Amino acid sequence: MSLVAVLTADLLLLAQVSQRQAGGQLPAAAVRQQHRPMPQQSLAAESGTTTQPAKQPVKPLGQLHKPNLFVVTRKPLTNELLRKVARLQGVTALELADAASIMLDDKRVQTLAVDPSTFRAYTPKVTAASDALWNNVAAGDVAVSFVLGSDGGLSLHSRVRGPSGPLRIGAYATTGFGAVDAVVSREVGRTLGLPRDNALIVSAPKANSDKLRKALLKVLPKGTQTAMVNPVLPPAQAKARTWAAGSFVNGEQITVALRAAASKLGRPYVWGAEGPDTFDCSGLVQWAFAQAGVRMPRVTHQQWLAGPQVPLAQIQPGDLIFWRLDPTNPGYISHVAIYWGDGKMVVAPRTGDVVKIAPMSTRNLAGIVRVSPAAAARVR
C-alpha cells in the first residue's frame, strides 16, 4: 500500500487499498423553486439482510462531541501518543479510527473504519441519532455519504464491489469530515485491509483550533497531517475580510470559464470525475475555471470558500451557486453549479444525467459565491 495525501478543508492522508477483485440582476420569474428530487428512501436500509449479524448491539447515543480537528498519521497511534494528545489544553474527547482510500464499484472512496457505538457521537445530529444506521454498520454494511449514494448511484440495499468482496449499502451517513464518503465497522475494515489506528478525531470546543493544531504537530510523529473541522477561531480571525478592487475573476476569465463549461454539454456525470470527458458537479467547476487560469479547489464544500458570498439579487455570470441537499447533515454544502445568466446555470447534475444548461433553482439554496482567484488558491 502506498500513502497519498488528500488535502481538503477537512484533511485526509490515506493509504490506497488496492482492489483484489474485478449577467446582472437575476430575473425572478426565471428561477425555479424546485430542485432535483430527493431519493424516496429512508436513510438506512432494512435490517436482517446484512452479510453477518452484529457481534454486539450498538450502544445508545450518549453525549455528542463536536469534532474540531482530524488527524491522520503514517504509523499507528500508540497509547503513549494518545495520552500526550489528551493532555493538550482544551482537548475534551478523542476517537480513534482507521483511514484509507478503497475502491467501491470502480470509484475511489475515502473510507473510515470505526467503532459504531462511540464514533456516532462525533457525527452530525441526524446521523448520530439513527440506531438503524449504526446497527447496519455494526452488522457489516457500508454507510456511504448522501452525495455518493444519491449522485453517485449507490442505492440503499444494493451490493457493490469492494476490495475483499461485495458490500451492502446499509445507510446514507455524511460524517462531516470533508472528503470521507464511506464508513464501515473496524471489523470490516480489517477484511478490507485498512491500516490500523492511523486516524484520530479530536474534540476541543473551547480551544483555539489553529493553536491546538500546531500543538498536535509538535506532539505527534513527523509526517502527521491535521486539518480543522468546525474550527474554533478568535473573532479577529473569524471576521469577514475586506475585498479590494481586482480581487475577483475578470470578464475575460469569466468568459473563458463559461465557454469551457459549455463545451462539455452532453458529457456524462460520473461521481468523482474531474474531466475532460466526464464530470461531477465540483469537478466541472474546477476544470472550467482551470481553463481560465484559476486554481479552484476540488470538492464542493472547499469551493464554498473560494470567495465572498453575495446576495442572490446581485448574482452575475461566473458566480458559483451552492445548495444544501443532504438530509443526513443539513448544514453541509453538497452541490454546486456555475451561474450562466438570465436565470440559468451550467451544471453536472447527478448519475444518469449529463452536463447541461438548466433553469436555476433556489430550493435549499445555501448561497452565491463570487470567485476570487487568490482565495480559491489558498483553500486546502
Side-chain angles (χ1 to χ4, degrees):
M1 293 184 291
S2 61
L3 288 172
V4 295
V6 180
L7 286 173
T8 68
D10 309 325
L11 162 148
L12 281 181
L13 169 63
L14 301 181
Q16 291 187 9
V17 179
S18 61
Q19 193 80 341
R20 300 186 195 125
Q21 295 183 320
Q25 290 282 340
L26 180 67
V31 180
R32 287 186 177 177
Q33 295 301 315
Q34 69 275 2
H35 199 62
R36 53 192 179 149
M38 292 288 191
Q40 299 300 309
Q41 303 166 311
S42 64
L43 300 180
E46 295 176 4
S47 60
T49 57
T50 50
T51 54
Q52 56 187 357
K55 294 181 180 179
Q56 294 182 345
V58 174
K59 295 178 182 178
L61 177 63
Q63 179 183 354
L64 289 172
H65 300 292
K66 193 144 204 172
N68 301 111
L69 289 165
F70 186 53
V71 179
V72 181
T73 60
R74 294 184 180 277
K75 294 182 179 180
L77 288 154
T78 63
N79 287 334
E80 180 183 357
L81 289 173
L82 292 174
R83 284 193 290 269
K84 288 182 179 180
V85 172
R87 287 196 292 265
L88 292 175
Q89 186 173 2
V91 173
T92 59
L94 300 174
E95 180 72 10
L96 199 58
D98 308 331
S101 171
I102 69 172
M103 297 297 293
L104 292 178
D105 267 9
D106 301 321
K107 299 176 176 68
R108 184 158 292 283
V109 179
Q110 313 293 353
T111 303
L112 285 183
V114 303
D115 178 342
S117 291
T118 55
F119 177 77
R120 65 187 299 186
Y122 293 81
T123 64
K125 187 175 181 179
V126 173
T127 297
S130 175
D131 290 332
L133 186 161
W134 296 109
N135 280 320
N136 282 357
V137 171
D141 287 349
V142 55
V144 299
S145 69
F146 179 78
V147 174
L148 176 54
S150 172
D151 296 350
L154 301 188
S155 59
L156 290 179
H157 301 90
S158 66
R159 292 185 178 272
V160 298
R161 295 185 304 279
S164 58
L167 290 166
R168 191 181 82 133
I169 304 298
Y172 290 156
T174 300
T175 63
F177 296 100
V180 174
D181 279 293
V183 175
V184 296
S185 70
R186 300 198 83 177
E187 290 75 15
V188 170
R190 302 288 186 261
T191 70
L192 297 176
L194 272 66
R196 298 190 180 198
D197 300 337
N198 68 328
L200 184 67
I201 297 104
V202 181
S203 181
K206 295 184 179 180
N208 181 313
S209 298
D210 188 45
K211 290 183 178 179
L212 180 57
R213 177 181 175 275
K214 293 174 181 176
L216 277 169
L217 291 175
K218 290 180 180 179
V219 168
L220 296 174
K222 185 178 180 180
T224 295
Q225 297 194 43
T226 65
M228 291 185 284
V229 185
N230 306 307
V232 178
L233 298 172
Q237 289 179 252
K239 69 179 181 180
R241 59 172 290 183
T242 300
W243 298 87
S247 297
F248 307 112
V249 286
N250 58 41
E252 181 180 356
Q253 289 173 312
I254 291 170
T255 298
V256 171
L258 289 174
R259 285 178 176 172
S263 73
K264 299 302 178 179
L265 295 178
R267 299 297 175 91
Y269 176 101
V270 174
W271 183 88
E274 302 175 357
D277 298 316
T278 57
F279 300 89
D280 64 12
C281 64
S282 55
L284 177 66
V285 170
Q286 183 187 53
W287 185 88
F289 277 89
Q291 311 317 300
V294 179
R295 180 185 173 187
M296 186 69 66
R298 172 61 184 92
V299 295
T300 304
H301 71 275
Q302 292 176 300
Q303 293 173 357
W304 174 248
L305 306 176
Q309 296 178 45
V310 298
L312 177 61
Q314 297 177 17
I315 193 170
Q316 297 176 2
D319 287 347
L320 301 183
I321 313 162
F322 293 89
W323 293 269
R324 292 186 172 97
L325 302 172
D326 187 344
T328 73
N329 189 357
Y332 192 72
I333 304 293
S334 56
H335 194 55
V336 63
I338 309 172
Y339 186 60
W340 179 260
D342 296 325
K344 297 180 180 179
M345 60 184 179
V346 57
V347 61
R350 59 186 300 175
T351 293
D353 212 333
V354 298
V355 177
K356 62 175 63 174
I357 294 174
M360 178 185 160
S361 166
T362 57
R363 182 179 180 183
N364 297 315
L365 183 71
I368 311 299
V369 167
R370 185 147 299 153
V371 175
S372 163
R378 286 194 297 266
V379 180
R380 293 291 185 273

